[in-house]
Amino acid sequence: MAAGKPDFIALDWNGTVVPFFGLGPYSGALETAASWREDGCLVFVVSRAGQGTVERDVQRTGLAHDGVFGCVDKGPVLKDLHARHGDGVFLGDHPSDFRAAAEAGIPFLQAGLEGQPLLEGADGCFRGWEEAALLVATLWGISEAPS
Ligand SMILES: [Mg+2]
């Protein structure tokens, strides 16, 4: 891993970047992803849907990214990203996202943007995207853990 930052950040789509296909992104999501890319992190979208469906919705929002993966099972996709690009983190809202990150051997940050209860064992939960940026920085030792 490059010092002080993950090599890649993978994002679930529905419930993490947007509430659902066709809806506006959560506040701060696009800006945060753009700043990660400016810092040299690759940003990927990994969604349990058809490739075209996810690609069109990502394009609609204008999210800056390095790749979009529509899939049935996120675990193998994350595992492959980990093997190709190095250390990363997965941000998602669902228990299956947590399982996929665990399968790939990467940390998991839970999107609790709809007030979901914290998933036990997650590496953090963010209630807003500004908090997501802080949690990623904390995971990589860039900043102090939020109190
Ligand atoms: Mg989701």
Side-chain angles (χ1 to χ4, degrees):
M1 142 176 102
K5 67 175 181 63
D7 298 305
F8 74 91
I9 297 172
L11 309 172
D12 167 56
W13 191 244
N14 291 317
T16 300
V17 178
V18 297
F20 200 72
F21 294 126
L23 298 178
Y26 289 109
S27 176
L30 303 189
E31 295 82 353
T32 302
S35 74
W36 283 331
R37 292 186 76 237
E38 282 162 20
D39 289 344
C41 301
L42 299 168
V43 172
F44 299 107
V45 174
V46 181
S47 177
R48 190 174 182 280
Q51 181 70 22
T53 302
V54 190
E55 276 179 6
R56 279 189 296 277
D57 210 52
V58 171
Q59 190 177 15
R60 174 187 65 83
T61 65
L63 177 90
H65 65 86
D66 298 285
V68 172
F69 300 90
C71 63
V72 173
D73 187 352
K74 297 173 187 174
V77 175
L78 294 174
K79 207 170 185 173
D80 189 54
L81 290 173
H82 187 29
R84 284 170 186 266
H85 301 292
D87 282 340
V89 56
F90 187 40
L91 278 59
D93 67 306
H94 194 269
S96 63
D97 294 326
F98 186 17
R99 288 194 292 273
E103 186 185 331
I106 63 173
F108 175 71
L109 295 176
Q110 181 194 358
L113 300 164
E114 305 288 349
Q116 300 94 324
L118 178 63
L119 293 171
E120 197 179 332
D123 295 284
C125 175
F126 56 96
R127 302 290 185 190
W129 267 86
E130 298 72 18
E131 202 178 354
L134 190 58
L135 285 173
V136 168
T138 302
L139 268 183
W140 265 266
I142 299 165
S143 66
E144 294 295 310
S147 54

